[in-house]
Amino acid sequence: MTHLLEVRSLRKTYRLGRVDVPVLKGLDFDVREGEWVAVLGASGSGKSTLLHLCGALDRPDRDGGTVLYREQNINKWSAKAKDRYRNTAVGFVFQFYHLLPEMNVLQNTALASMVRYGHLGYLSRRSQLMRRAAQLLDAFGLSNRARHKPAELSGGERQRVAIARALMNEPALLLADEPTGNLDAVTGGQILDVIAETHRQGQTIVMVTHDRAIASRADRIVELKGGRLATS
Amino acid sequence: MYQASLTSRYLLRKIIPLLAMLSVALCTAMVIIVFSVMNGFLDLVTQAGRKLIGDVAIDGPVTGFAWYEEVLDELRRLKTVEAASPMIETYGLLKMPYNQIAQVQVVGIDPESYDAVTGYASTLYWRPLTEAEAKRLPAGDIRREQWEPDESLLDWRRILHGSLLDPEFESLGPIGPEGLRNHTPEWQNPHGANESLLERLKVAGRTLQTPAGSPGLVPGIRVSIVNERVAGRSYDFRGTWFMPTREVTLTVLPLTDEGGIRNPESRVFPVVNEFAVERYDVDSAYVFVPVDVVQKMLGMQPVRELSTTEFDEFGDPVPTGRMTPGRVTRIVVKARAGVAPVRLREQVQEAYASVFERHVGAMPPPSQMNIRTWEEQIALYIGAVKNETALVMTLFSIISLVAVILVLSIFWTVVQQKTRDIGILRAVGASRLGITWLFLLYALILGILGAAIGCGLAVLIVHNINPIHHFLGEQFGIVIWDPKVYMFDEVPNDVNPVFATMIMAAGVLFAVLGALLPSVRAALIDPVSALRYE
Ligand SMILES: Nc1ncnc2c1ncn2[C@@H]1O[C@H](COP(=O)(O)OP(=O)(O)OP(=O)(O)O)[C@@H](O)[C@H]1O
Ligand SMILES: [Mg+2]
């Protein structure tokens, strides 16, 4: 299988006042097409940071290594190309769901497609896109919630909406940051079932967690420790 | 696409930004109202200026200029001239029927030609009105009554009754319509033997002559202080001194050639009508009298020339047989349609110069004459009003900057509140520009709504500004628009659509301007920290 993502000697340092806090210290990480990788690490180990760098939401240190997506260095891209990458190539799922409170469930799901197309493009594809969003919600057991606002949903339901949103533009890579971190064991299990189901259908997934039990659902576990990865 | 979708939802859900809209609305309304009134005032001044002085006026010294009839002939020959009329203007004292004395501006006119130049007849207060004119008057206005005899007399009796019930005249007792028809003019006006009041009002104002042939006087409607103005261009005459049934004594001061004053000249005139040009300074001070009468009173009429060398047996100078021509102080000229006043002025100057050529020494040289278009005559005043308008507009525009700052601070807060959403949008691929546009679009729509609401409010207020002003005056004694200061009784109440649109556009611009900085800040927010933001 080819590598979808190749991360080489990745470095990320935060500055707190006058002190440099290195979080990632030359990390190497590969993700193969169709694979489900779990990144295991303690709180504050830099899991989220890694995910943000993989998703082009943040940039590594100067000369801080490379993130290759399909053999292209995403940090060399223009802002426009990065926006497009986040929009169509990756989908983020966050611990705290991060849905837009003003939009209903269906619109939240379709958000990435609204960003993707301009007015005309969106309106001309509207019914097709709405069908896709509705199908995703249906698959996640949310078809009767489409018109509800996020505030009217339970945590598990919100996270399912967030996963649907992440998958809207059929990204090559799903980046999940502690997707069950805010949920009880049962609901978290359901979310993992949903993720497993998408994986079965071929979705490449990088999931970040501090819980070994949850990580064990993935094909492969890597551990983030001291700013580097170790296969466990 | 998400911008439109989010904006429409923000509009319905967020209260605070509506305050931004409100501030845009209020500023827009304020500027439109101020501008409409100021600009309307400027228009009024301009129009009124034209109405009183025609297109071009020739002004001579206060002692007048001779050979004006030849100037008139010369002018009337010009193809560019529609009409020309001689006038004498001087100061005078008017003894009112109630024995008070008012200072007045005496305007001697030749009514027919003066009407042709200025539309004088249409300024007469008492005249049969067209249906459209009558409709514009308030319901109680006496001028809406029928102008045909008999029935109308019953109505006119109402006002006359007021006069008749004055203690002074009580002894006359009540009288019927017939009695009025016969009596009123006689006992109050010895000059018009059997004329009826209505006949006089219909005709005598336009001719400045009673049907019996005596010269009449037409004062401005506010010259008599007992004419009490009520709202809507009407005056209340009931129970007061109804001027057109009275006579007044006019005193003028003839000047010597050296500018000294000879003996004052007085003459009794029947008041044959009143006029209103809706300009306070004119309506309260001007009286019209026939130009030949005032000419005589001022000693400016044609006289037989007396010899300076030959004397009769009593030592008085002997007539030479020639006439010294009469004098007037002003000629007003109206241009034919399509002729620019400036062009007409040049021709008027030439006409005067050619008459002067014939009478060198007997007329003031052209250089001593003021020959100006109506615009040039009021330029100084108009310029002042224009400056004031510009000043006020500038001040209010600066005040409107407060709205920009308000929008800025509100949007700053909104962006702060929406930080997490901005992070989410960036995470799903929204560009920085897209985020900027999200907030600018939001501000744009708030601005458009605000400006539209403000404009609607302004139109509503401006159109009803006179009733509102009247109400403020009655209830709280607040009089902003004092006709003594602004010359006009009514506050201008028209909104110029072009300027209103421009001001609305400025309102929208201000809203967008205020949102610019917060929008840029929103775009610059780091998505990672935005997503951490709780
Ligand atoms: N903007 C920042 N400025 C300074 N330090 C930061 C910043 N963002 C993250 N850090 C620090 O970097 C380290 C890694 O943070 P990160 O969020 O990646 O950890 P994490 O493994 O995701 O932790 P958690 O499991 O609690 O989510 C932490 O010590 C954190 O305090
Ligand atoms: Mg984290």
Side-chain angles (χ1 to χ4, degrees), chain B residues 62-94:
Chain B
V62 279
T63 49
F65 56 96
W67 301 110
Y68 66 92
E69 271 157 338
E70 283 192 25
V71 178
L72 284 171
D73 287 342
E74 200 73 34
L75 288 173
R76 285 171 182 148
R77 265 201 290 278
L78 289 173
K79 274 205 279 296
T80 49
V81 170
E82 168 96 33
S85 183
M87 293 169 71
I88 294 176
E89 288 196 321
T90 186
Y91 291 104
L93 298 172
L94 195 68

PDB file of all heavy atoms in Angstrom, chain B residues 62-94:
ATOM      1  N   VAL B  62     -31.165 105.885  -4.652  1.00  0.00           N
ATOM      2  CA  VAL B  62     -32.437 106.012  -3.919  1.00  0.00           C
ATOM      3  C   VAL B  62     -33.294 107.153  -4.446  1.00  0.00           C
ATOM      4  O   VAL B  62     -34.511 107.145  -4.297  1.00  0.00           O
ATOM      5  CB  VAL B  62     -32.217 106.227  -2.401  1.00  0.00           C
ATOM      6  CG1 VAL B  62     -31.943 104.919  -1.725  1.00  0.00           C
ATOM      7  CG2 VAL B  62     -31.127 107.245  -2.139  1.00  0.00           C
ATOM      8  N   THR B  63     -32.663 108.136  -5.055  1.00  0.00           N
ATOM      9  CA  THR B  63     -33.453 109.234  -5.617  1.00  0.00           C
ATOM     10  C   THR B  63     -33.987 108.888  -7.003  1.00  0.00           C
ATOM     11  O   THR B  63     -34.674 109.690  -7.620  1.00  0.00           O
ATOM     12  CB  THR B  63     -32.588 110.511  -5.717  1.00  0.00           C
ATOM     13  OG1 THR B  63     -31.346 110.156  -6.344  1.00  0.00           O
ATOM     14  CG2 THR B  63     -32.303 111.086  -4.353  1.00  0.00           C
ATOM     15  N   GLY B  64     -33.665 107.671  -7.489  1.00  0.00           N
ATOM     16  CA  GLY B  64     -34.237 107.203  -8.732  1.00  0.00           C
ATOM     17  C   GLY B  64     -33.429 107.620  -9.948  1.00  0.00           C
ATOM     18  O   GLY B  64     -32.445 108.346  -9.861  1.00  0.00           O
ATOM     19  N   PHE B  65     -33.863 107.107 -11.104  1.00  0.00           N
ATOM     20  CA  PHE B  65     -33.221 107.486 -12.354  1.00  0.00           C
ATOM     21  C   PHE B  65     -34.293 107.871 -13.369  1.00  0.00           C
ATOM     22  O   PHE B  65     -35.394 107.307 -13.373  1.00  0.00           O
ATOM     23  CB  PHE B  65     -32.313 106.378 -12.879  1.00  0.00           C
ATOM     24  CG  PHE B  65     -32.989 105.044 -13.084  1.00  0.00           C
ATOM     25  CD1 PHE B  65     -33.473 104.687 -14.330  1.00  0.00           C
ATOM     26  CD2 PHE B  65     -33.134 104.146 -12.031  1.00  0.00           C
ATOM     27  CE1 PHE B  65     -34.092 103.455 -14.534  1.00  0.00           C
ATOM     28  CE2 PHE B  65     -33.751 102.923 -12.227  1.00  0.00           C
ATOM     29  CZ  PHE B  65     -34.232 102.573 -13.480  1.00  0.00           C
ATOM     30  N   ALA B  66     -33.958 108.848 -14.204  1.00  0.00           N
ATOM     31  CA  ALA B  66     -34.923 109.387 -15.167  1.00  0.00           C
ATOM     32  C   ALA B  66     -34.891 108.589 -16.469  1.00  0.00           C
ATOM     33  O   ALA B  66     -34.082 107.691 -16.638  1.00  0.00           O
ATOM     34  CB  ALA B  66     -34.615 110.843 -15.434  1.00  0.00           C
ATOM     35  N   TRP B  67     -35.789 108.972 -17.378  1.00  0.00           N
ATOM     36  CA  TRP B  67     -35.877 108.350 -18.718  1.00  0.00           C
ATOM     37  C   TRP B  67     -36.082 106.845 -18.633  1.00  0.00           C
ATOM     38  O   TRP B  67     -35.709 106.101 -19.508  1.00  0.00           O
ATOM     39  CB  TRP B  67     -34.625 108.681 -19.550  1.00  0.00           C
ATOM     40  CG  TRP B  67     -34.459 110.163 -19.712  1.00  0.00           C
ATOM     41  CD1 TRP B  67     -33.503 110.934 -19.152  1.00  0.00           C
ATOM     42  CD2 TRP B  67     -35.297 111.033 -20.463  1.00  0.00           C
ATOM     43  NE1 TRP B  67     -33.673 112.252 -19.486  1.00  0.00           N
ATOM     44  CE2 TRP B  67     -34.787 112.339 -20.300  1.00  0.00           C
ATOM     45  CE3 TRP B  67     -36.456 110.866 -21.256  1.00  0.00           C
ATOM     46  CZ2 TRP B  67     -35.360 113.469 -20.888  1.00  0.00           C
ATOM     47  CZ3 TRP B  67     -37.022 111.981 -21.843  1.00  0.00           C
ATOM     48  CH2 TRP B  67     -36.473 113.271 -21.651  1.00  0.00           C
ATOM     49  N   TYR B  68     -36.700 106.399 -17.539  1.00  0.00           N
ATOM     50  CA  TYR B  68     -36.915 104.959 -17.381  1.00  0.00           C
ATOM     51  C   TYR B  68     -37.899 104.430 -18.408  1.00  0.00           C
ATOM     52  O   TYR B  68     -37.838 103.262 -18.794  1.00  0.00           O
ATOM     53  CB  TYR B  68     -37.392 104.638 -15.959  1.00  0.00           C
ATOM     54  CG  TYR B  68     -38.755 105.191 -15.609  1.00  0.00           C
ATOM     55  CD1 TYR B  68     -39.893 104.408 -15.814  1.00  0.00           C
ATOM     56  CD2 TYR B  68     -38.906 106.470 -15.063  1.00  0.00           C
ATOM     57  CE1 TYR B  68     -41.143 104.908 -15.488  1.00  0.00           C
ATOM     58  CE2 TYR B  68     -40.148 106.963 -14.755  1.00  0.00           C
ATOM     59  CZ  TYR B  68     -41.277 106.193 -14.961  1.00  0.00           C
ATOM     60  OH  TYR B  68     -42.505 106.679 -14.661  1.00  0.00           O
ATOM     61  N   GLU B  69     -38.787 105.339 -18.879  1.00  0.00           N
ATOM     62  CA  GLU B  69     -39.751 104.851 -19.870  1.00  0.00           C
ATOM     63  C   GLU B  69     -39.058 104.496 -21.183  1.00  0.00           C
ATOM     64  O   GLU B  69     -39.428 103.525 -21.841  1.00  0.00           O
ATOM     65  CB  GLU B  69     -40.858 105.875 -20.083  1.00  0.00           C
ATOM     66  CG  GLU B  69     -41.977 105.629 -19.087  1.00  0.00           C
ATOM     67  CD  GLU B  69     -42.838 106.851 -18.811  1.00  0.00           C
ATOM     68  OE1 GLU B  69     -42.346 107.982 -19.046  1.00  0.00           O
ATOM     69  OE2 GLU B  69     -43.958 106.657 -18.365  1.00  0.00           O
ATOM     70  N   GLU B  70     -38.039 105.274 -21.488  1.00  0.00           N
ATOM     71  CA  GLU B  70     -37.286 104.931 -22.703  1.00  0.00           C
ATOM     72  C   GLU B  70     -36.526 103.628 -22.522  1.00  0.00           C
ATOM     73  O   GLU B  70     -36.403 102.830 -23.447  1.00  0.00           O
ATOM     74  CB  GLU B  70     -36.313 106.068 -23.061  1.00  0.00           C
ATOM     75  CG  GLU B  70     -37.029 107.230 -23.703  1.00  0.00           C
ATOM     76  CD  GLU B  70     -36.054 108.234 -24.332  1.00  0.00           C
ATOM     77  OE1 GLU B  70     -34.926 107.815 -24.689  1.00  0.00           O
ATOM     78  OE2 GLU B  70     -36.434 109.399 -24.437  1.00  0.00           O
ATOM     79  N   VAL B  71     -36.007 103.433 -21.286  1.00  0.00           N
ATOM     80  CA  VAL B  71     -35.330 102.165 -21.016  1.00  0.00           C
ATOM     81  C   VAL B  71     -36.313 101.015 -21.179  1.00  0.00           C
ATOM     82  O   VAL B  71     -36.009  99.987 -21.798  1.00  0.00           O
ATOM     83  CB  VAL B  71     -34.715 102.166 -19.602  1.00  0.00           C
ATOM     84  CG1 VAL B  71     -34.045 100.823 -19.309  1.00  0.00           C
ATOM     85  CG2 VAL B  71     -33.712 103.301 -19.453  1.00  0.00           C
ATOM     86  N   LEU B  72     -37.521 101.206 -20.644  1.00  0.00           N
ATOM     87  CA  LEU B  72     -38.544 100.165 -20.758  1.00  0.00           C
ATOM     88  C   LEU B  72     -38.859  99.870 -22.217  1.00  0.00           C
ATOM     89  O   LEU B  72     -38.960  98.707 -22.627  1.00  0.00           O
ATOM     90  CB  LEU B  72     -39.822 100.588 -20.018  1.00  0.00           C
ATOM     91  CG  LEU B  72     -39.773 100.492 -18.486  1.00  0.00           C
ATOM     92  CD1 LEU B  72     -41.003 101.154 -17.870  1.00  0.00           C
ATOM     93  CD2 LEU B  72     -39.694  99.037 -18.048  1.00  0.00           C
ATOM     94  N   ASP B  73     -39.026 100.957 -23.009  1.00  0.00           N
ATOM     95  CA  ASP B  73     -39.315 100.757 -24.438  1.00  0.00           C
ATOM     96  C   ASP B  73     -38.209  99.956 -25.101  1.00  0.00           C
ATOM     97  O   ASP B  73     -38.465  99.021 -25.866  1.00  0.00           O
ATOM     98  CB  ASP B  73     -39.446 102.117 -25.140  1.00  0.00           C
ATOM     99  CG  ASP B  73     -40.763 102.797 -24.752  1.00  0.00           C
ATOM    100  OD1 ASP B  73     -41.651 102.064 -24.259  1.00  0.00           O
ATOM    101  OD2 ASP B  73     -40.877 104.026 -24.915  1.00  0.00           O
ATOM    102  N   GLU B  74     -36.986 100.354 -24.770  1.00  0.00           N
ATOM    103  CA  GLU B  74     -35.820  99.678 -25.351  1.00  0.00           C
ATOM    104  C   GLU B  74     -35.830  98.178 -24.971  1.00  0.00           C
ATOM    105  O   GLU B  74     -35.607  97.317 -25.810  1.00  0.00           O
ATOM    106  CB  GLU B  74     -34.561 100.352 -24.785  1.00  0.00           C
ATOM    107  CG  GLU B  74     -33.300 100.157 -25.570  1.00  0.00           C
ATOM    108  CD  GLU B  74     -33.295 100.959 -26.876  1.00  0.00           C
ATOM    109  OE1 GLU B  74     -33.869 102.084 -26.913  1.00  0.00           O
ATOM    110  OE2 GLU B  74     -32.728 100.438 -27.831  1.00  0.00           O
ATOM    111  N   LEU B  75     -36.135  97.945 -23.709  1.00  0.00           N
ATOM    112  CA  LEU B  75     -36.140  96.554 -23.227  1.00  0.00           C
ATOM    113  C   LEU B  75     -37.240  95.749 -23.898  1.00  0.00           C
ATOM    114  O   LEU B  75     -37.038  94.611 -24.305  1.00  0.00           O
ATOM    115  CB  LEU B  75     -36.341  96.525 -21.706  1.00  0.00           C
ATOM    116  CG  LEU B  75     -35.162  96.995 -20.856  1.00  0.00           C
ATOM    117  CD1 LEU B  75     -35.570  97.076 -19.388  1.00  0.00           C
ATOM    118  CD2 LEU B  75     -33.989  96.044 -21.014  1.00  0.00           C
ATOM    119  N   ARG B  76     -38.409  96.367 -24.019  1.00  0.00           N
ATOM    120  CA  ARG B  76     -39.553  95.611 -24.559  1.00  0.00           C
ATOM    121  C   ARG B  76     -39.362  95.288 -26.026  1.00  0.00           C
ATOM    122  O   ARG B  76     -40.038  94.418 -26.561  1.00  0.00           O
ATOM    123  CB  ARG B  76     -40.852  96.401 -24.327  1.00  0.00           C
ATOM    124  CG  ARG B  76     -41.282  96.321 -22.862  1.00  0.00           C
ATOM    125  CD  ARG B  76     -42.416  97.241 -22.504  1.00  0.00           C
ATOM    126  NE  ARG B  76     -42.716  97.118 -21.057  1.00  0.00           N
ATOM    127  CZ  ARG B  76     -43.170  98.113 -20.312  1.00  0.00           C
ATOM    128  NH1 ARG B  76     -43.391  99.314 -20.864  1.00  0.00           N
ATOM    129  NH2 ARG B  76     -43.416  97.922 -19.042  1.00  0.00           N
ATOM    130  N   ARG B  77     -38.459  96.025 -26.665  1.00  0.00           N
ATOM    131  CA  ARG B  77     -38.147  95.713 -28.065  1.00  0.00           C
ATOM    132  C   ARG B  77     -37.290  94.450 -28.195  1.00  0.00           C
ATOM    133  O   ARG B  77     -37.240  93.835 -29.235  1.00  0.00           O
ATOM    134  CB  ARG B  77     -37.406  96.900 -28.707  1.00  0.00           C
ATOM    135  CG  ARG B  77     -38.337  97.847 -29.464  1.00  0.00           C
ATOM    136  CD  ARG B  77     -37.564  98.670 -30.459  1.00  0.00           C
ATOM    137  NE  ARG B  77     -36.711  99.651 -29.810  1.00  0.00           N
ATOM    138  CZ  ARG B  77     -37.166 100.836 -29.372  1.00  0.00           C
ATOM    139  NH1 ARG B  77     -38.423 101.168 -29.535  1.00  0.00           N
ATOM    140  NH2 ARG B  77     -36.347 101.684 -28.789  1.00  0.00           N
ATOM    141  N   LEU B  78     -36.587  94.102 -27.094  1.00  0.00           N
ATOM    142  CA  LEU B  78     -35.660  92.955 -27.168  1.00  0.00           C
ATOM    143  C   LEU B  78     -36.423  91.637 -27.280  1.00  0.00           C
ATOM    144  O   LEU B  78     -37.438  91.436 -26.618  1.00  0.00           O
ATOM    145  CB  LEU B  78     -34.785  92.905 -25.901  1.00  0.00           C
ATOM    146  CG  LEU B  78     -33.725  93.990 -25.769  1.00  0.00           C
ATOM    147  CD1 LEU B  78     -33.071  93.914 -24.387  1.00  0.00           C
ATOM    148  CD2 LEU B  78     -32.669  93.839 -26.853  1.00  0.00           C
ATOM    149  N   LYS B  79     -35.890  90.756 -28.112  1.00  0.00           N
ATOM    150  CA  LYS B  79     -36.552  89.453 -28.308  1.00  0.00           C
ATOM    151  C   LYS B  79     -36.397  88.567 -27.073  1.00  0.00           C
ATOM    152  O   LYS B  79     -37.145  87.628 -26.874  1.00  0.00           O
ATOM    153  CB  LYS B  79     -35.937  88.740 -29.521  1.00  0.00           C
ATOM    154  CG  LYS B  79     -36.600  89.150 -30.823  1.00  0.00           C
ATOM    155  CD  LYS B  79     -36.451  88.080 -31.890  1.00  0.00           C
ATOM    156  CE  LYS B  79     -35.131  88.101 -32.598  1.00  0.00           C
ATOM    157  NZ  LYS B  79     -34.844  89.300 -33.391  1.00  0.00           N
ATOM    158  N   THR B  80     -35.377  88.867 -26.275  1.00  0.00           N
ATOM    159  CA  THR B  80     -35.121  88.028 -25.112  1.00  0.00           C
ATOM    160  C   THR B  80     -35.962  88.420 -23.901  1.00  0.00           C
ATOM    161  O   THR B  80     -35.935  87.742 -22.883  1.00  0.00           O
ATOM    162  CB  THR B  80     -33.636  88.135 -24.713  1.00  0.00           C
ATOM    163  OG1 THR B  80     -33.300  89.514 -24.646  1.00  0.00           O
ATOM    164  CG2 THR B  80     -32.746  87.442 -25.712  1.00  0.00           C
ATOM    165  N   VAL B  81     -36.693  89.545 -24.040  1.00  0.00           N
ATOM    166  CA  VAL B  81     -37.429  90.059 -22.888  1.00  0.00           C
ATOM    167  C   VAL B  81     -38.897  89.666 -22.978  1.00  0.00           C
ATOM    168  O   VAL B  81     -39.560  89.922 -23.975  1.00  0.00           O
ATOM    169  CB  VAL B  81     -37.287  91.587 -22.785  1.00  0.00           C
ATOM    170  CG1 VAL B  81     -38.253  92.147 -21.745  1.00  0.00           C
ATOM    171  CG2 VAL B  81     -35.859  91.939 -22.425  1.00  0.00           C
ATOM    172  N   GLU B  82     -39.372  89.056 -21.921  1.00  0.00           N
ATOM    173  CA  GLU B  82     -40.785  88.686 -21.857  1.00  0.00           C
ATOM    174  C   GLU B  82     -41.593  89.863 -21.317  1.00  0.00           C
ATOM    175  O   GLU B  82     -42.645  90.201 -21.843  1.00  0.00           O
ATOM    176  CB  GLU B  82     -40.924  87.475 -20.928  1.00  0.00           C
ATOM    177  CG  GLU B  82     -42.328  87.135 -20.516  1.00  0.00           C
ATOM    178  CD  GLU B  82     -42.921  86.059 -21.399  1.00  0.00           C
ATOM    179  OE1 GLU B  82     -42.152  85.181 -21.850  1.00  0.00           O
ATOM    180  OE2 GLU B  82     -44.128  86.103 -21.649  1.00  0.00           O
ATOM    181  N   ALA B  83     -41.083  90.489 -20.285  1.00  0.00           N
ATOM    182  CA  ALA B  83     -41.796  91.616 -19.681  1.00  0.00           C
ATOM    183  C   ALA B  83     -40.809  92.448 -18.881  1.00  0.00           C
ATOM    184  O   ALA B  83     -39.769  91.949 -18.453  1.00  0.00           O
ATOM    185  CB  ALA B  83     -42.908  91.108 -18.771  1.00  0.00           C
ATOM    186  N   ALA B  84     -41.149  93.738 -18.718  1.00  0.00           N
ATOM    187  CA  ALA B  84     -40.327  94.623 -17.902  1.00  0.00           C
ATOM    188  C   ALA B  84     -41.251  95.567 -17.164  1.00  0.00           C
ATOM    189  O   ALA B  84     -42.321  95.920 -17.673  1.00  0.00           O
ATOM    190  CB  ALA B  84     -39.345  95.406 -18.768  1.00  0.00           C
ATOM    191  N   SER B  85     -40.850  95.949 -15.958  1.00  0.00           N
ATOM    192  CA  SER B  85     -41.767  96.756 -15.145  1.00  0.00           C
ATOM    193  C   SER B  85     -40.986  97.736 -14.273  1.00  0.00           C
ATOM    194  O   SER B  85     -39.962  97.370 -13.685  1.00  0.00           O
ATOM    195  CB  SER B  85     -42.611  95.816 -14.278  1.00  0.00           C
ATOM    196  OG  SER B  85     -43.536  96.565 -13.538  1.00  0.00           O
ATOM    197  N   PRO B  86     -41.489  98.981 -14.181  1.00  0.00           N
ATOM    198  CA  PRO B  86     -40.819  99.979 -13.346  1.00  0.00           C
ATOM    199  C   PRO B  86     -41.278  99.870 -11.893  1.00  0.00           C
ATOM    200  O   PRO B  86     -42.421  99.513 -11.632  1.00  0.00           O
ATOM    201  CB  PRO B  86     -41.292 101.295 -13.944  1.00  0.00           C
ATOM    202  CG  PRO B  86     -42.670 100.985 -14.440  1.00  0.00           C
ATOM    203  CD  PRO B  86     -42.668  99.539 -14.876  1.00  0.00           C
ATOM    204  N   MET B  87     -40.406 100.192 -10.969  1.00  0.00           N
ATOM    205  CA  MET B  87     -40.761 100.123  -9.549  1.00  0.00           C
ATOM    206  C   MET B  87     -40.098 101.273  -8.803  1.00  0.00           C
ATOM    207  O   MET B  87     -39.056 101.775  -9.210  1.00  0.00           O
ATOM    208  CB  MET B  87     -40.236  98.824  -8.918  1.00  0.00           C
ATOM    209  CG  MET B  87     -40.881  97.571  -9.404  1.00  0.00           C
ATOM    210  SD  MET B  87     -39.934  96.152  -8.812  1.00  0.00           S
ATOM    211  CE  MET B  87     -40.312  96.187  -7.075  1.00  0.00           C
ATOM    212  N   ILE B  88     -40.729 101.633  -7.669  1.00  0.00           N
ATOM    213  CA  ILE B  88     -40.064 102.541  -6.744  1.00  0.00           C
ATOM    214  C   ILE B  88     -40.071 101.878  -5.378  1.00  0.00           C
ATOM    215  O   ILE B  88     -41.113 101.416  -4.914  1.00  0.00           O
ATOM    216  CB  ILE B  88     -40.787 103.905  -6.662  1.00  0.00           C
ATOM    217  CG1 ILE B  88     -40.679 104.618  -7.998  1.00  0.00           C
ATOM    218  CG2 ILE B  88     -40.204 104.749  -5.528  1.00  0.00           C
ATOM    219  CD1 ILE B  88     -41.427 105.924  -8.050  1.00  0.00           C
ATOM    220  N   GLU B  89     -38.906 101.819  -4.784  1.00  0.00           N
ATOM    221  CA  GLU B  89     -38.852 101.255  -3.439  1.00  0.00           C
ATOM    222  C   GLU B  89     -38.386 102.336  -2.472  1.00  0.00           C
ATOM    223  O   GLU B  89     -37.428 103.053  -2.747  1.00  0.00           O
ATOM    224  CB  GLU B  89     -37.894 100.068  -3.386  1.00  0.00           C
ATOM    225  CG  GLU B  89     -38.456  98.853  -4.094  1.00  0.00           C
ATOM    226  CD  GLU B  89     -37.729  97.578  -3.728  1.00  0.00           C
ATOM    227  OE1 GLU B  89     -36.501  97.618  -3.586  1.00  0.00           O
ATOM    228  OE2 GLU B  89     -38.414  96.552  -3.565  1.00  0.00           O
ATOM    229  N   THR B  90     -39.096 102.438  -1.358  1.00  0.00           N
ATOM    230  CA  THR B  90     -38.703 103.421  -0.353  1.00  0.00           C
ATOM    231  C   THR B  90     -39.228 102.964   1.005  1.00  0.00           C
ATOM    232  O   THR B  90     -40.030 102.032   1.099  1.00  0.00           O
ATOM    233  CB  THR B  90     -39.265 104.820  -0.709  1.00  0.00           C
ATOM    234  OG1 THR B  90     -38.749 105.764   0.224  1.00  0.00           O
ATOM    235  CG2 THR B  90     -40.782 104.843  -0.633  1.00  0.00           C
ATOM    236  N   TYR B  91     -38.746 103.615   2.051  1.00  0.00           N
ATOM    237  CA  TYR B  91     -39.262 103.278   3.371  1.00  0.00           C
ATOM    238  C   TYR B  91     -40.479 104.113   3.676  1.00  0.00           C
ATOM    239  O   TYR B  91     -40.640 105.218   3.155  1.00  0.00           O
ATOM    240  CB  TYR B  91     -38.196 103.491   4.444  1.00  0.00           C
ATOM    241  CG  TYR B  91     -37.101 102.491   4.304  1.00  0.00           C
ATOM    242  CD1 TYR B  91     -35.877 102.839   3.750  1.00  0.00           C
ATOM    243  CD2 TYR B  91     -37.323 101.165   4.689  1.00  0.00           C
ATOM    244  CE1 TYR B  91     -34.881 101.896   3.590  1.00  0.00           C
ATOM    245  CE2 TYR B  91     -36.329 100.219   4.531  1.00  0.00           C
ATOM    246  CZ  TYR B  91     -35.114 100.590   3.981  1.00  0.00           C
ATOM    247  OH  TYR B  91     -34.149  99.655   3.821  1.00  0.00           O
ATOM    248  N   GLY B  92     -41.349 103.617   4.534  1.00  0.00           N
ATOM    249  CA  GLY B  92     -42.535 104.380   4.879  1.00  0.00           C
ATOM    250  C   GLY B  92     -43.071 103.987   6.239  1.00  0.00           C
ATOM    251  O   GLY B  92     -42.622 103.018   6.858  1.00  0.00           O
ATOM    252  N   LEU B  93     -44.013 104.774   6.693  1.00  0.00           N
ATOM    253  CA  LEU B  93     -44.704 104.469   7.944  1.00  0.00           C
ATOM    254  C   LEU B  93     -46.166 104.258   7.614  1.00  0.00           C
ATOM    255  O   LEU B  93     -46.746 105.003   6.823  1.00  0.00           O
ATOM    256  CB  LEU B  93     -44.558 105.625   8.933  1.00  0.00           C
ATOM    257  CG  LEU B  93     -43.120 105.930   9.340  1.00  0.00           C
ATOM    258  CD1 LEU B  93     -43.054 107.219  10.161  1.00  0.00           C
ATOM    259  CD2 LEU B  93     -42.543 104.766  10.137  1.00  0.00           C
ATOM    260  N   LEU B  94     -46.734 103.236   8.184  1.00  0.00           N
ATOM    261  CA  LEU B  94     -48.118 102.908   7.884  1.00  0.00           C
ATOM    262  C   LEU B  94     -48.928 102.998   9.159  1.00  0.00           C
ATOM    263  O   LEU B  94     -48.656 102.286  10.124  1.00  0.00           O
ATOM    264  CB  LEU B  94     -48.195 101.493   7.309  1.00  0.00           C
ATOM    265  CG  LEU B  94     -49.490 101.119   6.612  1.00  0.00           C
ATOM    266  CD1 LEU B  94     -49.646 101.911   5.319  1.00  0.00           C
ATOM    267  CD2 LEU B  94     -49.524  99.613   6.332  1.00  0.00           C
TER     268      LEU B  94
END
